[in-house]
Amino acid sequence: MLTKFETKSNRVKGLSFHSQRPWILASLHSGVIQLWDYRMGTLIDRFDEHDGPVRGVHFHRTQPLFVSGGDDYKIKVWNYKMHRCLFTLLGHLDYIRTVQFHNEYPWIVSASDDQTIRIWNWQSRTCISVLTGHNHYVMCASFHPKEDLVVSASLDQTVRVWDIGALRKKTVSPADDILRLTQMNTDLFGGVDAVVKYVLEGHDRGVNWAAFHPSLPLIVSGADDRQVKLWRMNDTKAWEVDTLRGHMNNVSCVMFHAKQDIIVSNSEDKSIRVWDVTKRTGVQTFRREHDRFWILAAHPEMNLLAAGHDSGMIVFKLERERPAFSVSGDSIFYTKDRFLRFYEFSTQKDIQLIPIRRPGSTTLNQGPRTLSYSPTENAVLICSDVDGGSYELYIIPKDSVGRSDTAQDAKRGAGGCALFVARNRFAVLDKSNNQVLVKNLKNEIVKKSSLPVATDAIFYAGTGNLLCRAEDRVVIFDLQQRTVLGDLQTPFVKYVVWSNDMESVALLSKHAIIIANKRLVHRCTLHETIRVKSGAWDDNGVFIYTTLNHIKYCLPNGDNGIIRTLDVPIYITKVSGNTIYCLDRDGKNRAIAIDATEYVFKLSLLRKKYDNVMSMIRNSQLCGQAMIAYLQQKGFPEVALHFVRDERTRFNLALESGNIQIAVASAKEIDEKDHWYRLGVEALRQGNASIVEYAYQRTKNFERLSFLYLITGNMDKLSKMLRIAELKNDVMGQFHNALYLGDIQERVKILESAGHLPLAYVTAAVHGLTETAERLEAELGDNAPALPAGKKRSLLMPPAPISCSGDWPLLRVMKGIFEGGLDNVGKGGPEEEEDEADGANWGEDLDIVDVDGQNHVEVIEDGEVEEGDEEEGGWDLEDLELPPELENSSAVANSRTSAFVAPSPGMPVSQIWIQKSSLAGEHAAAGNFDTAMRLLSRQLGIKNFAPLKPFFLELHSGSHTYLRAFSSAPVISLALEKGWTESASPNVRSPPALVYKFAQLDEKLRSAYKATTDGKFSEALRLFLNILHTIPLVVVESRREVDEVKELIVVAKEYVLGLRMEVRRKELRNNAVQQQELAAYFTHCNLQKVHLRLALLNAMSVCFKGGNYATAASFARRLLETDPPATQASKARQVLQACEKNMKDANQLNYDFRNPFVVCGATFVPIYRGQKDVACPYCTSRFVPAIEGQLCTVCDLAVVGADASGLLCSAAQMR
């Protein structure tokens, strides 16, 4: 059995596959219907309107509908696109066992414990036929896939086949008057739309299931007599063919396999059995340890089965569908239908070569697994799982066309892995001795070599070399030198694909691809959520691979993307140009055309082949948000600019690439305040003061303008800003500008006019304006403030700016590789020159920008720059009034020499941390609290994040350090990585260093134990809760530590529950009965022996004082069983002696120590074995069903009964 998907849930009673999508419906004993994507392994939706168990569920073949039937006597038809129930069909009087849609007609058939089968029309929403005849519960009913028949199974020990031909005619034929009359009569006096055709008797107990064969006139049934029976039928009669015995308990479900001559059955004996229809024998058995099986379902199109059991369901295949193949140059050798075949890629010629033996064994999965070809000797090695792993060596005749069906006598040997390592030598893995046997074409051993690691499979790694796979690593082993050439830690590798030049290798595991060189030096690792199926290298060194539903590419640096989607899985054999050659699951060769433009473009960027990049931009239709995002991420926003016409996107890219001119043009088109503000920020970062000034003017941001003039030392324009503030009657603006200018008189005047006479007086007096100060003092009289004595006065003047020349000094660099070359895309002639000049002047053209007469306060005046030059003396050069065309050409020449290219920031480390991590602790450390919360909600059902807030903040601050550069510069944040060393590559990022470690939890646990021993229950409770709140954010290395973390959750949960009960008991002063109950429950928590003794001693004392002597005696006995210290033992014996004189209880307690129970974490009442309960998905505390949906009172984090995937605290869990 190849398990593809598994769920954990309540008992699954009904299953149904969707015919097109990778979905499966599971109806549960709890009343919930779950819709799963078995390919992605995710729960898509849940439907819970039924009251009680839902035993039957079925998808419609073409419509977005499914039907369900439950113990509430209701049949519900649902629309899964609308996420709701469309209508309910009422009529059955007891539990409904199965429901099924008809393949063609708008019918539903249902079987019920009311001993009837009903056929409903789901379009008219009416019952169109009731099939009566069974005299016990009808356990199942289903339509024949092609004929007008229904088969049903009942606990009356019979299987019945019903003919519904009349019902079909009534539905299809146009009813004339006579027909309508007869129809009316049959409706009134009991219809004959469905009649019993055969009654199949032979089972000794109730029959649980019966099913038709998809094409042959066969029926299979399974019953409580533990037998599976096979029946045949013809037009007149039906009879028993054979009985299949082997199940040890009631057979729950049985069905024919759609594509193979086998029967699959499952049973309450916890097994699934596969039977050969032709030989009538058992082929294989799959068992579960604790779960009984209840239901089977088969996919209508694919080779998939599903089985529901007590604690969930599994989706599985019985046999591998991957054909064994080997590519050699322009051809491929592969196996199909007991033949070795040859296919030539260039001519697409497909030839059958020779027949190969089929195993005589009866078990499944015995077909060829791998194939190895030697072109010089024209020999083929085929490996399979026959006899625990064996190989067969065939020599292909030169003139072989393989029409004969007799297989040549192949040379055989034991060994699951065999492959050619040289022209006429092949290697066979001997697992038992961990060695490789090198053999010649006569199947004789030539050489033996011990392997350097415990190897479970070998792969080809060049002539004379083997790639050996261990559990967690692969090594390349030289058979001649007997040395290890390379070693790499990997997840479990399933397939190995070498590039044509043998320089690169792709190691394919279930959910990951590792790219390495020929010495196994790691290049990159790719993680996929969907299973990886196959791959091949193209001529450019790009790895093309397939998952279950996509063809994808992987560049040498690890960047990947989707080429196209797939309807069915394929296995790539070769990639040539824009064509992918592959085999499908039926063993057919297919050629698929792909568009390689995207990955060739990215590869050219990666390899710095900028000529190719520019020609592709000019000639191809590359576009889309993904491509723009990729170019941004890789530091080529200036290239992305040429794909974009949307002004807002152009604006963002221009800012990112530092292209202020394009940003200005886009800002003009958009003309929104926010964009002008962002333009101002970027221009200020570049030191382009003129653009900053223009942006502030456009938004009328006078405060920022004033400050800009202050830091650039433009006092004239500051004076004008003072006048503008005066005109606008902006008192604060006036005062600020006067302060910036150092104009004392203006400040005094402003304060006086605003009515702040004391402040005006102090300002005038301090700065030596004697006359003004005297006048103001006279006005204030006695209210004049006294100036502090002995203080030294100084004039408050702003510091002089370092540079007063407008723009700050700009970094001069050579023009970027794409500048100019790409600016000309789509343009022609002389216009190209002008646009290039405009784009390259980097902040020299403010006058051009400002001349368009915008509606803002004009502050800039001509001739201001020259004033500085006059003061300097120096070269007495005057501006020449040159013709405009000459000025333009000089600008062009200037732009070609150099330009400013702002360096683009790389991806923050915190973003790299979360890209491929599903660990909440790492997301919190990176500062992505929202994704951390979503992960915890999905994994552990956590909804209350208030207790976790301090932990989140500590994780984030603890995984970063902060450096101060200058007093005026912002603090620089540096990410701290786990296990960083100076020799570490700057391109490979490690996960974050976390402040919470598992070792710290051990220390906290010891402290909590000590507090419990000392009787400091509140302190102990706080410490155990702290442990429970820290664990969701802890990250550990190994699977062993994961198990220890899970054990720690259980320990902390038990103590929190017990301590909460003890704290509650101490609060109950007046309720002696409840005090005794809580003390008793405390003894049933899973505690350390020393604490259990104290709890038993406490419960014994409380019950003895309360007069419950029998209960106190039971605690005394339990205490003595723990081998207590002498003082405790003495006290227990005294109590036991006293109680034995009067073994009675004064009060009736809700406590039975003989019946195993757990304590409800919210109500503190016992939940005895067999009673229903719900659990917290995180701490696993148990609760009475009424608490479902409420916050867990033990951990104070998760919602009771919530669906959750489970704790994820280590990268090892994801491998």
Side-chain angles (χ1 to χ4, degrees):
M1 179 196 286
L2 303 166
T3 303
K4 296 294 172 186
F5 174 60
E6 194 161 358
T7 69
K8 294 274 183 271
S9 68
N10 232 295
R11 184 184 302 166
V12 173
K13 298 295 286 182
L15 288 170
S16 176
F17 280 103
H18 195 282
S19 58
Q20 306 298 325
R21 299 187 181 181
W23 294 352
I24 186 166
L25 277 170
S27 61
L28 311 186
H29 200 263
S30 62
V32 174
I33 302 165
Q34 295 178 332
L35 176 58
W36 291 91
D37 184 321
Y38 54 80
R39 193 179 279 174
M40 294 289 287
T42 52
L43 180 66
I44 300 170
D45 212 338
R46 61 200 300 273
F47 308 88
D48 49 6
E49 287 184 26
H50 275 288
D51 187 14
V54 184
R55 297 178 189 273
V57 69
H58 193 244
F59 267 121
H60 196 280
R61 274 181 85 88
T62 55
Q63 299 298 316
L65 304 176
F66 69 87
V67 61
S68 62
D71 285 8
D72 52 4
Y73 314 166
K74 292 174 185 173
I75 297 171
K76 289 180 179 283
V77 176
W78 311 73
N79 185 312
Y80 56 74
K81 283 187 177 173
M82 297 163 71
H83 309 285
R84 67 183 182 87
C85 174
L86 298 180
F87 54 88
T88 303
L89 301 172
L90 299 172
H92 279 298
L93 307 173
D94 208 335
Y95 296 171
I96 294 159
R97 293 284 175 173
T98 64
V99 284
Q100 187 200 10
F101 281 111
H102 195 279
N103 280 353
E104 294 175 37
Y105 300 117
W107 296 346
I108 294 167
V109 66
S110 59
S112 168
D113 285 3
D114 63 8
Q115 304 182 14
T116 67
I117 301 148
R118 285 176 180 256
I119 299 174
W120 313 76
N121 184 317
W122 58 263
Q123 287 179 340
S124 63
R125 305 184 185 182
T126 53
C127 177
I128 54 173
S129 188
V130 182
L131 285 61
T132 55
H134 282 297
N135 52 31
H136 208 311
Y137 301 164
V138 185
M139 299 302 284
C140 87
S142 60
F143 290 114
H144 192 283
K146 295 185 180 108
E147 297 175 32
D148 298 328
L149 299 173
V150 169
V151 66
S152 61
S154 167
L155 295 189
D156 63 7
Q157 303 180 16
T158 67
V159 175
R160 288 176 183 246
V161 180
W162 311 76
D163 188 336
I164 54 167
L167 188 65
R168 183 183 63 82
K169 285 174 190 161
K170 187 167 115 178
T171 307
V172 174
S173 56
D176 54 20
D177 289 343
I178 300 162
L179 257 166
R180 207 172 287 138
L181 191 65
T182 54
Q183 189 178 325
M184 201 183 299
N185 287 339
T186 53
D187 286 348
L188 284 169
F189 303 112
V192 286
D193 295 334
V195 292
V196 177
K197 195 169 184 184
Y198 321 113
V199 178
L200 308 178
E201 295 176 319
H203 283 291
D204 300 334
R205 296 267 184 94
V207 187
N208 289 318
W209 204 268
F212 286 116
H213 192 283
S215 54
L216 300 173
L218 296 174
I219 294 170
V220 67
S221 61
D224 287 350
D225 58 7
R226 307 177 184 182
Q227 295 174 3
V228 174
K229 285 187 182 286
L230 188 62
W231 316 78
R232 183 177 281 277
M233 58 184 181
N234 59 21
D235 290 340
T236 56
K237 62 176 181 174
W239 63 97
E240 184 181 330
V241 176
D242 209 341
T243 301
L244 308 173
R245 295 178 174 85
H247 279 295
M248 314 298 289
N249 206 332
N250 305 341
V251 180
S252 322
C253 189
V254 61
M255 66 199 316
F256 290 101
H257 194 284
K259 298 205 163 86
Q260 292 167 273
D261 288 337
I262 54 175
I263 291 168
V264 185
S265 63
N266 67 9
S267 158
E268 292 178 47
D269 66 4
K270 305 168 191 169
S271 75
I272 298 173
R273 287 176 185 260
V274 183
W275 316 81
D276 188 316
V277 174
T278 50
K279 297 179 181 172
R280 323 269 168 75
T281 54
V283 176
Q284 216 155 354
T285 304
F286 311 106
R287 297 185 189 279
R288 282 186 82 85
E289 277 186 54
H290 306 296
D291 302 311
R292 297 166 296 175
F293 283 102
W294 298 102
I295 185 72
L296 279 169
H299 196 288
E301 310 290 338
M302 291 159 64
N303 183 20
L304 278 178
L305 297 166
H309 53 77
D310 279 336
S311 59
M313 63 144 173
I314 48 172
V315 176
F316 61 97
K317 281 199 301 194
L318 292 174
E319 287 193 293
R320 297 170 83 248
E321 294 177 281
R322 182 190 182 94
F325 65 88
S326 175
V327 178
S328 173
D330 186 44
S331 57
I332 177 178
F333 292 83
Y334 67 101
T335 59
K336 181 186 175 185
D337 301 335
R338 307 188 188 188
F339 285 94
L340 177 69
R341 300 184 70 90
F342 165 86
Y343 176 80
E344 200 166 45
F345 294 117
S346 52
T347 59
Q348 299 194 3
K349 185 170 67 174
D350 198 340
I351 302 167
Q352 183 174 299
L353 293 177
I354 54 169
I356 54 175
R357 281 172 58 88
R358 289 294 281 168
S361 133
T362 54
T363 52
L364 296 166
N365 259 328
Q366 303 287 284
R369 285 182 73 88
T370 62
L371 189 150
S372 180
Y373 174 68
S374 170
T376 50
E377 302 296 327
N378 214 25
V380 168
L381 271 169
I382 295 174
C383 300
S384 66
D385 288 341
V386 176
D387 303 329
S390 62
Y391 66 88
E392 294 177 349
L393 175 64
Y394 294 92
I395 309 295
I396 304 168
K398 294 290 181 193
D399 56 347
S400 170
V401 188
R403 293 290 171 216
S404 73
D405 279 352
T406 56
Q408 62 168 270
D409 195 18
K411 295 180 176 67
R412 285 182 192 78
C417 284
L419 52 96
F420 284 102
V421 288
R423 184 173 61 82
N424 55 0
R425 296 282 186 271
F426 64 92
V428 182
L429 175 64
D430 176 8
K431 277 194 206 174
S432 55
N433 299 312
N434 196 40
Q435 63 179 2
V436 161
L437 312 175
V438 179
K439 299 188 177 184
N440 59 20
L441 295 183
K442 294 176 182 173
N443 209 15
E444 298 163 342
I445 296 174
V446 178
K447 183 179 181 182
K448 292 183 182 179
S449 288
S450 293
L451 293 170
V453 290
T455 304
D456 59 5
I458 53 174
F459 302 92
Y460 181 68
T463 305
N465 294 341
L466 287 177
L467 191 142
C468 307
R469 178 187 75 190
E471 188 179 358
D472 61 343
R473 67 195 316 108
V474 290
V475 299
I476 291 181
F477 182 63
D478 187 326
L479 286 169
Q480 204 68 32
Q481 309 291 332
R482 302 194 180 186
T483 55
V484 173
L485 303 179
D487 184 352
L488 182 63
Q489 274 203 316
T490 63
F492 185 76
V493 172
K494 296 179 76 177
Y495 309 108
V496 174
V497 185
W498 286 91
S499 59
N500 295 333
D501 58 4
M502 295 298 289
E503 289 296 316
S504 304
V505 64
L507 308 169
L508 278 57
S509 70
K510 192 173 182 181
H511 290 288
I513 296 168
I514 298 97
I515 306 286
N517 71 6
K518 64 181 178 183
R519 289 285 181 263
L520 289 187
V521 176
H522 180 264
R523 284 185 186 159
C524 62
T525 300
L526 235 82
H527 293 279
E528 289 287 344
T529 49
I530 302 180
R531 286 193 294 280
V532 178
K533 302 307 286 182
S534 67
W537 294 85
D538 87 338
D539 307 327
N540 299 309
V542 176
F543 187 64
I544 310 296
Y545 64 99
T546 62
T547 63
L548 277 170
N549 54 359
H550 287 117
I551 300 176
K552 294 182 144 187
Y553 63 84
C554 171
L555 299 182
N557 66 340
D559 290 337
N560 67 323
I562 295 171
I563 296 173
R564 60 169 286 175
T565 54
L566 293 169
D567 299 326
V568 291
I570 59 166
Y571 305 96
I572 295 181
T573 52
K574 183 184 172 80
V575 181
S576 177
N578 284 356
T579 306
I580 286 178
Y581 296 97
C582 59
L583 282 165
D584 62 17
R585 282 180 163 169
D586 295 328
K588 290 179 189 159
N589 277 286
R590 291 168 57 186
I592 300 173
I594 59 165
D595 181 5
T597 318
E598 181 185 320
Y599 74 76
V600 171
F601 176 81
K602 290 181 178 179
L603 187 68
S604 301
L605 264 181
L606 177 67
R607 293 181 173 166
K608 298 184 169 58
K609 294 182 179 175
Y610 297 125
D611 293 343
N612 293 3
V613 172
M614 288 165 66
S615 72
M616 289 178 80
I617 290 170
R618 289 194 183 99
N619 303 324
S620 73
Q621 296 297 309
L622 274 169
C623 61
Q625 290 298 321
M627 183 56 77
I628 292 162
Y630 179 82
L631 288 165
Q632 276 181 279
Q633 181 192 339
K634 293 298 168 189
F636 294 105
E638 71 274 19
V639 182
L641 262 175
H642 298 279
F643 290 100
V644 182
R645 293 287 165 266
D646 175 58
E647 289 297 347
R648 290 174 193 276
T649 312
R650 278 178 71 80
F651 178 81
N652 291 332
L653 289 169
L655 282 194
E656 195 171 332
S657 60
N659 197 329
I660 287 290
Q661 295 306 320
I662 291 181
V664 169
S666 295
K668 279 185 182 177
E669 293 293 327
I670 300 163
D671 199 20
E672 286 179 6
K673 193 170 182 178
D674 178 55
H675 287 74
W676 284 115
Y677 168 70
R678 288 172 57 204
L679 175 65
V681 170
E682 176 60 22
L684 192 61
R685 190 182 69 79
Q686 289 189 19
N688 200 327
S690 42
I691 297 286
V692 179
E693 182 180 7
Y694 177 52
Y696 290 167
Q697 287 173 0
R698 290 297 294 254
T699 55
K700 295 186 173 60
N701 201 329
F702 297 123
E703 291 85 357
R704 290 182 195 275
L705 264 175
S706 295
F707 193 71
L708 177 70
Y709 294 143
L710 170 69
I711 60 172
T712 54
N714 202 329
M715 295 298 144
D716 291 342
K717 289 186 180 174
L718 256 180
S719 304
K720 288 177 186 175
M721 292 308 297
L722 179 62
R723 292 201 295 278
I724 290 166
E726 210 171 321
L727 290 170
K728 288 180 67 194
N729 201 18
D730 177 7
V731 179
M732 279 311 294
Q734 281 177 265
F735 189 77
H736 281 153
N737 284 312
L739 201 61
Y740 294 159
L741 285 162
D743 190 338
I744 307 302
Q745 289 172 328
E746 190 64 33
R747 277 162 56 196
V748 172
K749 191 173 111 182
I750 293 163
L751 288 167
E752 195 176 345
S753 63
H756 290 290
L757 294 182
L759 279 176
Y761 163 69
V762 170
T763 307
V766 166
H767 290 90
L769 301 177
T770 317
E771 290 177 16
T772 313
E774 286 172 357
R775 178 172 57 80
L776 289 167
E777 190 176 13
E779 278 187 49
L780 285 164
D782 294 340
N783 294 328
L787 295 176
K791 295 285 183 182
K792 189 181 176 185
R793 305 180 222 175
S794 61
L795 177 62
L796 188 63
M797 282 294 284
I802 299 162
S803 167
C804 301
S805 59
D807 290 352
W808 297 345
L810 297 182
L811 175 66
R812 289 286 177 187
V813 294
M814 291 308 293
K815 193 152 191 165
I817 192 78
F818 296 108
E819 299 292 319
L822 289 180
D823 284 341
N824 306 334
V825 177
K827 301 174 184 173
E831 291 177 15
E832 296 182 13
E833 301 291 331
E834 288 180 29
D835 284 4
E836 191 175 321
D838 288 349
N841 243 347
W842 290 92
E844 303 287 332
D845 303 324
L846 182 67
D847 294 322
I848 300 169
V849 176
D850 245 0
V851 180
D852 59 77
Q854 295 295 328
N855 190 15
H856 61 271
V857 180
E858 186 57 67
V859 181
I860 301 160
E861 292 187 355
D862 297 328
E864 287 170 3
V865 180
E866 283 80 15
E867 290 172 20
D869 294 343
E870 285 168 20
E871 288 172 21
E872 192 69 55
W875 300 100
D876 195 10
L877 297 177
E878 295 179 8
D879 279 353
L880 300 177
E881 293 187 3
L882 295 171
E885 60 269 16
L886 289 177
E887 281 187 17
N888 223 9
S889 64
S890 70
V892 173
N894 179 42
S895 75
R896 282 189 181 138
T897 56
S898 61
F900 170 71
V901 176
S904 54
M907 189 189 292
V909 179
S910 55
Q911 195 175 333
I912 296 170
W913 283 347
I914 63 168
Q915 268 186 330
K916 291 169 184 171
S917 171
S918 296
L919 304 175
E922 292 184 354
H923 281 248
N928 270 43
F929 294 168
D930 55 338
T931 57
M933 286 156 71
R934 279 202 294 276
L935 284 169
L936 290 174
S937 179
R938 193 166 69 229
Q939 292 165 6
L940 300 174
I942 293 177
K943 288 288 182 288
N944 178 27
F945 289 97
L948 298 182
K949 183 179 177 181
F951 298 95
F952 272 55
L953 293 171
E954 275 188 38
L955 268 178
H956 180 49
S957 58
S959 60
H960 292 75
T961 187
Y962 303 91
L963 303 177
R964 288 191 70 85
F966 307 107
S967 57
S968 58
V971 172
I972 299 167
S973 163
L974 291 177
L976 298 179
E977 298 173 31
K978 189 191 291 179
W980 184 86
T981 60
E982 286 188 17
S983 59
S985 165
N987 298 324
V988 180
R989 293 296 184 185
S990 304
L994 303 181
V995 291
Y996 299 127
K997 295 184 173 60
F998 186 53
Q1000 296 168 335
L1001 296 182
D1002 267 352
E1003 291 169 21
K1004 281 185 187 170
L1005 184 65
R1006 282 196 288 274
S1007 304
Y1009 281 159
K1010 188 174 185 308
T1012 308
T1013 309
D1014 296 345
K1016 298 173 183 173
F1017 296 135
S1018 300
E1019 173 67 10
L1021 186 58
R1022 185 186 64 76
L1023 287 166
F1024 280 115
L1025 271 174
N1026 185 276
I1027 291 170
L1028 277 180
H1029 293 167
T1030 309
I1031 285 173
L1033 300 171
V1034 164
V1035 175
V1036 295
E1037 296 298 322
S1038 64
R1039 286 186 175 275
R1040 183 179 57 77
E1041 287 179 311
V1042 172
D1043 295 337
E1044 288 175 8
V1045 169
K1046 289 178 179 175
E1047 285 172 22
L1048 184 55
I1049 293 173
V1050 175
V1051 169
K1053 175 261 292 186
E1054 291 288 337
Y1055 272 88
V1056 169
L1057 176 62
L1059 292 168
R1060 281 196 194 280
M1061 288 192 290
E1062 187 60 16
V1063 169
R1064 175 78 178 277
R1065 184 184 72 77
K1066 296 198 171 184
E1067 290 168 359
L1068 295 167
R1069 299 285 180 199
N1070 304 321
N1071 191 335
V1073 172
Q1074 203 170 351
Q1075 272 196 329
Q1076 291 174 52
E1077 286 174 350
L1078 289 172
Y1081 302 155
F1082 191 11
T1083 67
H1084 287 266
C1085 293
N1086 195 354
L1087 308 176
Q1088 293 282 308
K1089 192 172 270 189
V1090 62
H1091 302 138
L1092 179 62
R1093 287 176 192 145
L1094 292 169
L1096 287 166
L1097 198 62
N1098 179 43
M1100 180 183 76
S1101 306
V1102 170
C1103 290
F1104 188 78
K1105 286 174 188 172
N1108 278 27
Y1109 300 122
T1111 308
S1114 74
F1115 291 132
R1117 288 190 200 96
R1118 281 177 60 197
L1119 179 57
L1120 289 169
E1121 285 166 11
T1122 66
D1123 193 19
T1127 52
Q1128 292 179 355
S1130 164
K1131 189 173 182 182
R1133 288 193 191 95
Q1134 288 171 2
V1135 168
L1136 191 59
Q1137 206 172 349
C1139 291
E1140 281 172 347
K1141 295 173 183 172
N1142 182 16
M1143 287 291 273
K1144 287 183 182 177
D1145 283 344
N1147 303 303
Q1148 180 68 37
L1149 302 182
N1150 182 13
Y1151 172 65
D1152 179 4
F1153 65 89
R1154 297 176 193 83
N1155 194 353
F1157 67 86
V1158 291
V1159 181
C1160 170
T1163 57
F1164 300 142
V1165 297
I1167 304 169
Y1168 290 103
R1169 185 178 289 171
Q1171 291 181 345
K1172 283 188 177 180
D1173 64 2
V1174 286
C1176 168
Y1178 168 42
C1179 68
T1180 68
S1181 299
R1182 310 285 271 284
F1183 297 87
V1184 292
I1187 305 298
E1188 187 169 10
Q1190 297 178 25
L1191 198 64
C1192 171
T1193 50
V1194 176
C1195 65
D1196 197 26
L1197 296 175
V1199 171
V1200 176
D1203 280 332
S1205 58
L1207 178 69
L1208 200 60
C1209 63
S1210 171
Q1213 290 172 276
M1214 296 181 277
R1215 289 187 193 128

